[in-house]
Structures are given as structure tokens and as C-alpha cells.
Amino acid sequence: TYTADPVAYQFYLKGRYYWNKRTAENIRKAIEQFQSAADTDPNYALAYAGLADCFVVMGDYSGTPESETVPKMQAFARRALEFDNSLAEAHASLAYSYVQTWQWEKGEQEYKRAIELNPTYPTAHHWYSLCLIELGRTAEAFAEIKRAQELDPLAPVISYNVATFDLYLGDVNSSIVESKKVIELDPNFARTHS
């Protein structure tokens, strides 16, 4: 999973930093950093998982069509799994790609595998919650998004989705409280203002 090369690891950390900012510009920067990590250590599975994650969120933040992002997220996730089949991050990215192509059963299997491999990986719980809400399994979806928030209470995108789920469930007051928390942490996180 990890690299012995400190330079590759620094590129990876910078990639995660930019990826978490969730803007088109920062996703492009994240891609550059993850690619540099992979170029520095071609066997670095997490670098490929990071690239897959960039293409998972690219459509939402840059308007890139799924016809361009899905093949890339699948290719990078599979590349990561070639190096480390026990990498939860890669299984979660692959799951997302399956959900994007309406392969719900495969997507759910991959999310469950990711969570089994790393129960403390917040993104797996987060993305699994989005899958479950699409399947109409609201109670399970809410439990997963709350678990993601417990694991990473400072991630704006996760708390934003908690607020969205609150709104979906008709709890406007909780949605406002969650949104204000996100705005306090990151006033530039645009989605929360909506």
C-alpha cells in the first residue's frame, strides 16, 4: 500500500490535500500530484487510487462528462488493485464507477469490500451512503453518512451531505445547523451555501 520513497509520499499527501478542497482547479492540482507520486514510484498503489478518486469527483466539480471520467476512474482503480488488492480506497473508487454505470449490485459489493478492508475509511462510508440513497434505502444511507462524519468530522463534503440528507428527511433545522458548521470550517465550500 505504501511507498518507501519519501518524495512519492509527499506528492501523495499534496494530492489528498488538493483533492479534499473539491474545486475544479484543486482537482487538477491533485491529479498532477498523484501522477507525480506514481511517476516517482510506479508501484505506489495509493497514488493510482488517488487518481481514481480525482475522476470520481471531477464531474461534480468541473462538469467533465461521465463518458470521460468513468473509464479513467475504473482504469486507475484497477491499476491500484493490481498492486494491492487489499486497498480499500481503490475498492471504493471502483464501486463508485459501478454505481455511475448503474451496476448497483457490483457497486454495493465493492463498497462492502472497501469497508470490510478498512472500516475506518470515511470516504467508503460516504460514497456508500450516496449509493444507498439512490437505492431508496434511506435509513441505511443516513447511518453510513453519519458514520463517515464520525470518522472525519472536519471533511466539508461529508458534513455537507449530512446536511443534504437532513433536508431530504425533512429536518430543516438540523440541515441548517450542519450547513453552518461547514461554513464555519470552510466559508469557501460553495455547495454548503446552497
Side-chain angles (χ1 to χ4, degrees):
T1 300
Y2 298 99
T3 180
D5 189 315
V7 174
Y9 183 61
Q10 286 300 311
F11 283 130
Y12 173 78
L13 290 177
K14 287 178 185 174
R16 281 293 168 201
Y17 171 80
Y18 288 121
W19 181 77
N20 279 311
K21 290 187 164 288
R22 296 295 208 284
T23 67
E25 178 184 347
N26 283 307
I27 292 167
R28 283 189 286 277
K29 288 179 182 178
I31 290 171
E32 291 171 8
Q33 296 300 311
F34 290 132
Q35 188 61 59
S36 293
D39 291 344
T40 304
D41 179 353
N43 299 319
Y44 192 10
L46 275 173
Y48 298 105
L51 284 163
D53 287 351
C54 288
F55 289 99
V56 164
V57 300
M58 183 170 277
D60 286 342
Y61 295 95
S62 72
T64 306
E66 289 178 4
S67 60
E68 292 179 34
T69 60
V70 171
K72 290 179 181 178
M73 71 177 84
Q74 287 179 340
F76 284 122
R78 287 189 175 115
R79 181 81 171 144
L81 291 170
E82 286 175 16
F83 291 113
D84 186 351
N85 194 43
S86 68
L87 191 61
E89 291 87 344
H91 283 281
S93 295
L94 188 58
Y96 199 99
S97 76
Y98 286 140
V99 169
Q100 291 299 97
T101 55
W102 304 87
Q103 297 177 70
W104 303 104
E105 189 175 309
K106 282 184 174 181
E108 186 167 13
Q109 288 172 352
E110 287 294 326
Y111 282 128
K112 287 180 176 179
R113 180 72 176 132
I115 291 167
E116 176 188 329
L117 289 167
N118 184 355
T120 63
Y121 180 47
T123 301
H125 292 279
H126 174 204
W127 291 348
Y128 186 33
S129 76
L130 301 176
C131 171
L132 291 168
I133 203 77
E134 290 290 329
L135 294 172
R137 292 159 54 188
T138 309
E140 291 174 77
F142 197 72
E144 287 295 327
I145 195 63
K146 290 302 280 184
R147 179 67 181 134
Q149 188 180 44
E150 289 170 8
L151 293 168
D152 192 354
L154 300 180
V157 70
I158 292 173
S159 292
Y160 158 76
N161 276 288
V162 171
T164 302
F165 282 25
D166 283 336
L167 195 58
Y168 179 78
L169 295 171
D171 191 346
V172 175
N173 291 331
S174 291
S175 181
I176 291 169
V177 168
E178 283 295 332
S179 296
K180 286 182 177 180
K181 287 179 191 175
V182 177
I183 291 168
E184 183 181 319
L185 286 171
D186 186 356
N188 296 318
F189 193 76
R191 287 186 161 201
T192 307
H193 292 279
S194 68

